[in-house]
Amino acid sequence: MRELIVSADDLGLSALNTKTILETVDQGSVTSVSILANGYAFETAIEGILKRPQLRISVHMNLTEGKALLPHEHIPHLTDREGNFKLSPLGFLFASRTICNEIRAELFAQIQQVRKALGFTPNTPIAVDGHQHVHVAPMVFDVLIALSQECTIGEVRIPEEPFYAAYVSIRA
């Protein structure tokens, strides 16, 4: 039997966005949410999730918008001096592989922040996907696969859109 999963991305991005997503969850339209660990309303989003234990949760890994969790000094090729991400999704298709360690560090920080906030044990599998689908850029996807065991990633959502179809041959 198949199950329909309706997911809302960007939970935690802003207060209004978070409020609207949680209202659609309460109306029964949305059954899964993706939370931005670096969103402006992250704490509000966590509170909302904890009040709705039926929700499927995934980490909406973000490398392209807003402030990174790690300081600029740790990820200087990903952020500007203020700590804001500076690459576009397309930029990850052409970036040097020398930034893989920086990508790994930031993704690890985001996944661990969500795990801790939700009270997940280290062995609890967690689902992930990418803000603006950046996780399917080959370099980022390789880093994600390398992190999968350490972070107990149990599911990766893969978009099926023409632009990304050329880069994805694995179905999670």
Side-chain angles (χ1 to χ4, degrees):
M1 178 179 280
R2 290 185 167 207
E3 175 186 12
L4 176 63
I5 300 168
V6 178
S7 187
D9 291 346
D10 299 339
L11 186 71
L13 178 66
S14 68
L16 181 58
N17 188 61
T18 299
K19 178 181 181 280
T20 303
I21 289 172
L22 293 174
E23 286 173 355
T24 59
V25 167
D26 292 341
Q27 293 168 1
S29 305
V30 171
T31 57
S32 176
V33 294
S34 292
I35 184 167
L36 285 162
N38 73 325
Y40 298 106
F42 177 76
E43 291 81 13
T44 303
I46 291 295
E47 290 172 13
I49 289 170
L50 293 174
K51 291 177 184 173
R52 296 162 179 87
Q54 79 283 5
L55 266 178
R56 292 172 57 108
I57 310 300
S58 62
V59 179
H60 200 50
M61 299 175 303
N62 183 6
L63 297 170
T64 58
E65 189 174 6
K67 284 199 177 289
L69 293 184
L70 297 179
H72 170 70
E73 297 75 33
H74 291 113
I75 52 172
H77 298 97
L78 295 180
T79 59
D80 62 21
R81 294 191 193 283
E82 288 78 43
N84 296 304
F85 289 117
K86 64 182 180 181
L87 292 176
S88 70
L90 197 56
F92 284 94
L93 294 176
F94 303 105
S96 166
R97 286 213 169 254
T98 59
I99 67 170
C100 285
N101 287 336
E102 293 179 30
I103 293 169
R104 183 195 183 291
E106 179 64 20
L107 293 182
F108 182 84
Q110 290 180 20
I111 292 167
Q112 295 309 323
Q113 177 159 308
V114 172
R115 279 184 163 291
K116 182 179 177 185
L118 293 175
F120 285 8
T121 67
N123 295 329
T124 304
I126 195 160
V128 297
D129 57 63
H131 185 60
Q132 299 175 332
H133 303 314
V134 72
H135 70 298
V136 297
M139 178 177 21
V140 179
F141 194 76
D142 290 347
V143 170
L144 181 60
I145 294 304
L147 273 174
S148 64
Q149 190 168 13
E150 182 180 2
C151 292
T152 319
I153 296 172
E155 181 180 315
V156 178
R157 187 176 76 197
I158 303 295
E160 291 193 33
E161 296 181 26
F163 176 76
Y164 296 104
Y167 301 106
V168 179
S169 61
I170 299 172
R171 296 287 184 249

